Amino acid sequence: MDAPSPLPTLIRKKRDGERLEDAEIRSFVRGVTEGTAQQGQIGAMLMAIRLRGMDAGETLALTRAMAGSGRTLAWPPAWHGLLVDKHSTGGVGDKVSLALAPALAACGCKVPMISGRGLGHTGGTLDKLEAIPGFRVSQSPEEMQRILARVGCCIVGQSAELVPADRVLYGLRDVTATVDSLPLITASILSKKAAERLSALVLDVKFGEAALYRTQESARELARSLVEVGAHLGIRTAALLSRMEQPLGRAVGNALEVLEALQCLGGGGPPDLRHLVTALGGVLLWQCGMAAGAEQGRERLARALDDGSALGTFEAMLGAQGVPPDTARGLCAGTPAQRRRLLGEAKVCEELPAPQEGWVQQVRALPLARVLHGLGAGRSRAGDPVNPRVGAELLVGTGQHLRAGEPWLRVHHEGTLDAEGRRELQDALCLGPQPPRDPPPLVAETIVPSGALPGPCRDSQ
């Protein structure tokens, strides 16, 4: 074990713009994990990293140290090369994981998906799944392995044993205004993926008004950092840059998004959701050598959505994670009305009329998400409860013509939507006198490591 370095010395060194050695970074992470570092010292180091940055070698060392701060998952040798996962930087209406994990498992992958909860205006995969009665997101590593052996995928929360250093640093980044630090984001995301001992990883790095990064350039910078560090960790990593100006799909809100994911799993649903699910999955299948290229991977994943195998895998995952069999069957084979009854419905279902005639230019995701957040669909701080029944359904799409008074949004709430909230929601609808120009593609760019070639994956060590 490395001799501990005095933390004030390390803080001063980074504060002054010097490079930290690997052993010094390990010493800092050990102090975080063991509780010997004071919160003020950790906050000072986070700010020094935020202001002075880290080079690629430092970021890699930080990621490795954080990944090694707790337990790493172990898998049967027969699964080597098949272990895949996806991470999104967060968006509005992003229910991709719910459809992607079972579709990948139906294609032969093993998907130990470790997901998070929503915070602020972005939704969390775990919150969506907990809208399903009985679904249990807490699974031990042993339980995860049993579910993967039976079903091929699971979607779980981060256990206390996995990457404990990240839980400390993640909590302090928010209160120290260091959330947007590139090395800290990279290490936080990839340390958890390294602890999963993945073969391949695809990242959905979103940009736009409702994303963490507003511009494609800043999203590209994060994506390149993630892809290069991931490659050095032995994980075949790729990133897709996708736009987040408008909600993904037509549904926003936990229960409503589950219903829309079920449509996608059945071969239907909104085209933009299906496009992103198959694009991300196609890249993963290509990276693992299960498809000759990303386009062939996309086609294979689409077949899993269309032939019922992805939906069947989702039903099996629900059962394996605590959902009663009748509920799982009703959700996966029931009518839309039966599915809604199983998930529960809000007290009020209200349609908003278009304030004037015009062509839909776009529906802005951010004001929509903020109002729904205030109605109980999201949380402002970790641990706050959410109401899974609160949400909204878009009744229109870009390029559609609306008459004044025609409904464009259906809001599900508990009787708490006031006049100000209605005004804010109306601000999300952008109308124009002429049809809009063709929108830019949802996926703007794909980033892979330098010299990346398809083929069998290595497992992260």
Side-chain angles (χ1 to χ4, degrees), residues 259 329-342:
L259 296 174
R329 180 96 284 255
L331 282 175
C332 294
T335 65
Q338 289 170 330
R339 288 172 172 177
R340 286 195 298 271
R341 282 196 296 272
L342 284 169

Side-chain angles (χ1 to χ4, degrees), residues 354-425:
Q356 63 197 52
E357 183 177 1
W359 295 86
V360 179
Q361 308 297 306
Q362 69 169 351
V363 178
R364 294 169 55 218
L366 188 57
L368 183 63
R370 283 177 171 163
V371 173
L372 294 176
H373 177 274
L375 293 174
R379 58 172 62 84
S380 298
R381 63 185 68 184
D384 285 352
V386 297
N387 185 334
R389 296 175 296 278
V390 170
E393 299 171 82
L394 299 182
L395 306 178
V396 300
T398 300
Q400 188 171 332
H401 184 264
L402 274 177
R403 296 185 302 273
E406 192 174 351
W408 71 274
L409 185 72
R410 184 178 296 130
V411 188
H412 300 253
H413 61 94
E414 304 293 353
T416 53
L417 180 62
D418 57 17
E420 183 181 351
R422 290 184 184 91
R423 281 195 299 271
E424 290 179 38
L425 288 173

Side-chain angles (χ1 to χ4, degrees), residues 37-119:
Q38 299 172 32
Q39 284 210 342
Q41 293 175 317
I42 300 172
M45 178 62 90
L46 293 177
M47 185 55 74
I49 293 171
R50 165 64 181 81
L51 295 176
R52 291 297 194 169
M54 282 182 149
D55 65 25
E58 288 176 294
T59 305
L60 177 61
L62 178 61
T63 306
R64 281 183 168 145
M66 288 169 60
S69 67
R71 180 176 178 178
T72 55
L73 302 181
W75 310 111
W79 296 359
H80 289 179
L82 301 175
L83 290 150
V84 303
D85 198 358
K86 161 259 180 190
H87 178 86
S88 168
T89 56
V92 178
D94 184 359
K95 69 282 294 178
V96 164
S97 293
L98 277 64
L100 180 59
L104 285 165
C107 292
C109 295
K110 299 294 184 183
V111 193
M113 190 172 280
I114 297 177
S115 296
R117 299 193 179 279
L119 195 60

Side-chain angles (χ1 to χ4, degrees), residues 122-141:
T122 61
T125 297
L126 300 184
D127 297 317
K128 302 181 207 303
L129 287 167
E130 286 186 333
I132 302 171
F135 193 92
R136 191 162 63 90
V137 301
S138 297
Q139 304 285 343
S140 70

